[in-house]
Structure formats: structure tokens, C-alpha cells
Amino acid sequence: MDEEAFYGFVEADGPRLRNLAVALCRNTADADDLLQATLEVLYRDWVKRDRIELTYPYAYARKSLIRQHVSLQRKIRCWIREPVERVSSTSDPSQETGERLALFAALRQLPPRQREAVVLRYLEDMSVAEVSDLMQCAEGNVKRLTHDALRSLRRSLDRVHDPIGRI
Amino acid sequence: MTKLDDRDADLIARMRTAYHAIPADYGLERRSRLRGLPILLAAAAVTLVAAVPVIVHAGNASAPSPSASQGGEASSGPNLAPENAVDSDLTEALFRALDSADGMPAYALAVDPGTKTVNLWLQGEAAGLTASLSDIARSRGFDLETLPYPTADPRTTEKLDAVAERIRNIVRANPEYGFTTLHLSSPTDEVVVWRTHEDHDLDRAVTAAGAKDGVQVVVLEAPTSASETEVLADDLRSRNADWEGRGFRVEGAYPTGSGPVVLVTGDLAAARVAITDSAVLTVLKDDVVTPNLVVTKDEME
């Protein structure tokens, strides 16, 4: 087993995977747990398969992370009410960071299935068929979930640029 | 399904730009609740800290995700120019100061070596902490700029809280409705209610509860309380090693119309205190509409 290669993979793609985990989860602690669980699985697979099937490890890890997340969502059915966070203004020089904070805050407000669907479809660039396979639901459901998610996100994110709000 | 319109396309483009501006996440090693492979992630994090110019860090579990002012796609990699190297002493000192702050406020932090600026998003008023961070930054030639941390709009929160309380009262008065969860969604002005079985009277009642304040109530199908209780029972049983040290064991749990009943053996009084204080039940008690959790003796003892 090429352990160095595994470490190299984590160094190179760890931040991308965590980014995905943060987008899927409702808080960073859960995202860290999800990433950790994914890396554990990946490490075991890496040992077992000696990279035979890991010619593109990021895709493999991403799939593993999403499956774990979907599985976890089925087990943990409690929703935790969290304070709602919103960026009230996004002035330079930190506009990009503000956008990111706003995006993740808006994603966290979505129901889990909508969040998964929109993250995979539009942020991870997966096809409807791929998302449907990973989420284990019909393609029509994926389309409905992404449509609903976009509608909610538009309302949330548009307001970020409207400090007065329309409450 | 209709084709994406221009507004959706613009929205997706904005989201993609924000999403793919991946921060060099110092928190990967520092904050994660690692259960295994700590060396692995620590090694990765150390490498990241050494290599990348921008660090952002979220302060607590409910804080927004870490993010950074670092632009570009992930594949473009971090800017490794020596002049952009992060002063790791600076970031360590800042994190230490933030970690030792009372109440652990939520925060995000970005260090920009290019402009010699530290951007800080901090929740709440903390003049003393800000001054101390500013001193730390200045001592290393950086300016500290504080930015408003994403916060709830109090008007929206109050409105949603009022609707939520109304819905809780409906549930308390009618435990047969079997609600399991209630979620407030301020940015979308919605209250999402998850119910365990279809009931049109219930749907009408909660919708009306929202309508009084102009809040949309979305009613969704929730998992059955039986399966939720099963998860709860599994979680509690998995802690039996700890519970036994306190004089009792959790044997199981079963659902009722008014909430789950947990069966224990041993010291019932200790069990009631310990289980009610445990994290999972805090969630159930405070944030989920599960009216009562009863801890009782297992008759099979």
C-alpha cells in the first residue's frame, strides 16, 4: 500500500472534501465528523484495494462522503434549531468571504434533501442521473428538490444584498 | 421541469464562485472532533498551514462555515509565493486569544498577508477581545478589521418564535398529532413542521398558526416516531459503559403518543438526571417537539 500517496491525497483534496462536507451539513462539527468518517473508509479501501479502483480518488472519496451523509440523514432525524445567520453587508475587501458565509448560511436553512440535491447538482457539477443514484431517489425527485432549493436560496441570497431586508 | 431561467443561472454562478473559493482550512486539524486517524489529518493540516496564505476559522459548531478571501478554483492551488506565507505565530496567537474568550463566541478569521490585514467576523460585542486581537495583529505588522458576523434579524426571529410557540401549544394540546420535529427557517420566513402521519386537521391548524403572522408553515412528512425512538435507544444504549458508572443501564426505549419512554435498570433517579442532561435529549427537549420523555424502570429487571 502506498501510504504516502494516501497522505498526499488528503493534503491535496482534503480541503475540497471538507468544503463539500460543510455544504452538506448543518454545522462545521458535523462536517468534520463526516469528513473524518469518509477518510477512515477511504483509508481502509486504500489498504484493501491498493488503489486498484482508486485511479480517481477524489471522485471515489466524494461518492463515499455523500453516501455516508445520506445514510446518516436517515439515522439522525432530529432537526436542531439553530440561530439564523446572515451577512448584513458584504463590503470590500472581504466580499468573497461574505459571499461564502452567506452561501453556507443559506444552505444550512434548507431541508437536508434539498441541500444535498442542490450541492451535488450545481456545486459539485453532477448530472441529475448521478445525483439520483447517490441520493437513491428518482430523477424527477432530484429535479423537484433542486427547483425548490433554488427558489429558497434565491430568496435568502438576494436578501444578503439588501441590508434593509423585506421583512 | 422547466429550464433554468436567467435568474437561476446567475444565482448558480454566484454560488459556484463562492463555493469554489475554497479556504485553506486551518480548522481541519484544530477543530474537528477526530475519532481516529488524528495523525493523518494533523499532518495534512500542518502542511496546509505551512503552505497557504489565507486562513479562516469558525469558532463554534453553530457558526457559519469557515471561509476565506482566497479566490479562484481549488485546482488552481494556493498562492505559495514566499511573500504571501502566513505568519503562523500570528495565527496561533489569534486562535489562542479567541479560544480563551469567555463564552466562545462564533467567529471567522481570515489573514491576508498581501494587504497585511486580519479580517475578523465576531459574534456579539467583545470590545476587550477585539482590542487584544488588534494588539496581537499590530505587533506583527498587521491591521485588524472587524466585520459584522452573520446574525439573525430579530424581527424575523421573534415572528418565527411566536409561530413556533403557537404550534408547540397545538401539539401539546393534541399529542396524538405525533409531531417529531420543528424547524425555523428565518431567511425564507418559513416554519417547517415534520409530522409523523398525515392529518389534514393538523395541517390546517398549523398553517393557520403561521398565517396570523404572515409566516408560511411548510408541513412535511416526518419519519415515524418509532424509528426515531429506535435511534434514540441505540444512542442511549451505546453509552451504557458511561451510564453503568452512574449506577444504571439503558435497556431500550419505545414510542408513545406523547413521546419516547426510556427503560432503565438500576438507579432510576440517577438515570432521570443523567439522561435528561445528556446531549441527545437536550436536542429532543429543547429543539424538537417531542412533548415528554419518560424514564422508567424496566419491568423485566
Side-chain angles (χ1 to χ4, degrees):
Chain A
M1 176 213 161
D2 186 356
E3 198 163 293
E4 284 302 313
F6 179 72
Y7 278 70
F9 166 75
V10 174
E11 282 180 29
D13 288 316
R16 283 175 75 190
L17 283 171
R18 188 176 186 277
N19 203 39
L20 173 60
V22 170
L24 290 172
C25 294
R26 283 180 58 76
N27 60 58
T28 50
D30 287 350
D32 286 333
D33 280 350
L34 177 61
L35 174 61
Q36 174 69 12
T38 303
L39 291 178
E40 286 172 16
V41 169
L42 190 67
Y43 184 83
R44 285 198 296 272
D45 288 354
W46 206 289
V47 175
K48 199 164 40 183
R49 301 179 188 193
D50 199 17
R51 301 194 69 196
I52 291 169
E53 293 177 42
L54 298 178
T55 48
Y56 187 32
Y58 176 73
Y60 186 89
R62 180 174 67 174
K63 190 178 277 191
S64 171
L65 187 145
I66 295 162
R67 289 221 160 112
Q68 295 233 23
H69 178 70
V70 170
S71 159
L72 209 61
Q73 284 300 317
R74 291 191 175 147
K75 289 180 189 162
I76 301 173
R77 280 147 169 169
C78 303
W79 275 53
I80 302 169
R81 185 185 148 208
E82 292 179 350
V84 174
E85 293 127 359
R86 187 194 310 166
V87 174
S88 58
S89 68
T90 56
S91 57
D92 284 333
S94 308
Q95 185 159 355
E96 235 170 46
T97 303
E99 285 272 0
R100 275 181 65 78
L101 287 171
L103 170 65
F104 283 109
L107 284 173
R108 267 195 290 275
Q109 301 309 316
L110 296 176
R113 301 281 285 173
Q114 283 187 28
R115 186 164 62 242
E116 282 163 17
V118 79
V119 166
L120 301 182
R121 178 76 183 93
Y122 295 121
L123 302 183
E124 285 289 320
D125 277 335
M126 299 173 82
S127 69
V128 172
E130 285 173 317
V131 178
S132 137
D133 176 47
L134 277 171
M135 291 183 65
Q136 297 168 33
C137 64
E139 292 188 11
N141 274 349
V142 173
K143 291 176 182 175
R144 182 180 56 78
L145 288 167
T146 52
H147 176 265
D148 292 348
L150 282 178
R151 192 182 55 180
S152 296
L153 286 169
R154 190 190 302 131
R155 289 164 63 187
S156 301
L157 293 173
D158 280 354
R159 227 180 264 174
V160 168
H161 296 287
D162 175 12
I164 297 169
R166 294 188 294 271
I167 309 299
Chain B
M1 186 70 193
T2 55
K3 208 178 133 189
L4 286 178
D5 65 22
D6 287 346
R7 285 199 310 160
D8 282 338
D10 287 347
L11 174 69
I12 291 165
R14 264 178 65 201
M15 286 165 46
R16 286 178 53 79
T17 302
Y19 179 74
H20 287 292
I22 295 176
D25 189 12
Y26 189 78
L28 187 65
E29 179 265 343
R30 290 179 59 83
R31 283 294 175 195
S32 58
R33 296 178 293 173
L34 302 180
R35 295 186 300 265
L37 296 182
I39 296 170
L40 165 73
L41 287 186
V46 166
T47 307
L48 287 170
V49 170
V52 289
V54 179
I55 293 174
V56 163
H57 187 51
N60 66 15
S62 64
S65 67
S67 62
S69 56
Q70 176 186 1
E73 294 285 329
S75 55
S76 66
N79 179 354
L80 299 177
E83 65 272 19
N84 282 334
V86 162
D87 178 346
S88 60
D89 286 346
L90 168 62
T91 55
E92 276 301 327
L94 292 169
F95 284 135
R96 265 200 304 275
L98 285 159
D99 286 349
S100 61
D102 287 342
M104 190 64 178
Y107 62 86
L109 185 67
V111 179
D112 185 347
T115 59
K116 292 278 182 188
T117 305
V118 176
N119 291 129
L120 170 73
W121 291 258
L122 188 66
Q123 194 172 48
E125 292 293 325
L129 175 62
T130 309
S132 145
L133 294 172
S134 182
D135 288 345
I136 293 168
R138 201 175 303 118
S139 69
R140 289 164 175 82
F142 280 74
D143 289 327
L144 180 79
E145 186 176 339
T146 54
L147 295 157
Y149 192 86
T151 53
D153 183 319
R155 289 169 299 175
T156 306
T157 307
E158 284 168 17
K159 204 162 64 175
L160 292 178
D161 280 345
V163 174
E165 189 52 37
R166 225 171 277 144
I167 293 175
R168 281 193 193 97
N169 288 335
I170 292 171
V171 175
R172 286 182 191 124
N174 303 279
E176 71 277 12
Y177 282 159
F179 275 153
T180 55
T181 58
L182 174 68
H183 173 64
L184 307 184
S185 180
S186 177
T188 49
D189 289 356
E190 288 173 350
V191 171
V192 181
V193 174
W194 299 73
R195 57 161 160 64
T196 54
H197 62 276
E198 193 170 332
D199 185 319
H200 294 302
D201 288 343
L202 166 68
D203 294 355
R204 272 194 293 275
V206 297
T207 304
K212 284 185 183 170
D213 277 311
V215 171
Q216 188 186 355
V217 177
V218 179
V219 182
L220 299 174
E221 201 72 32
T224 65
S225 60
S227 61
E228 191 172 14
T229 306
E230 195 181 319
V231 172
L232 171 68
D234 287 346
D235 186 281
L236 291 173
R237 270 195 299 259
S238 72
R239 303 185 197 189
N240 266 341
D242 179 30
W243 301 142
E244 280 168 0
R246 303 189 200 190
F248 68 93
R249 273 182 66 83
V250 171
E251 303 298 343
Y254 63 86
T256 70
S258 60
V261 173
V262 179
L263 297 172
V264 300
T265 52
D267 186 340
L268 181 60
R272 283 187 173 140
V273 172
I275 292 175
T276 308
D277 284 348
S278 71
V280 64
L281 298 187
T282 301
V283 169
L284 283 171
K285 195 171 58 174
D286 293 339
D287 302 312
V288 180
V289 181
T290 300
N292 296 301
L293 182 124
V294 178
V295 179
T296 188
K297 278 275 189 186
D298 186 353
E299 296 301 324
M300 302 298 287
E301 186 183 13

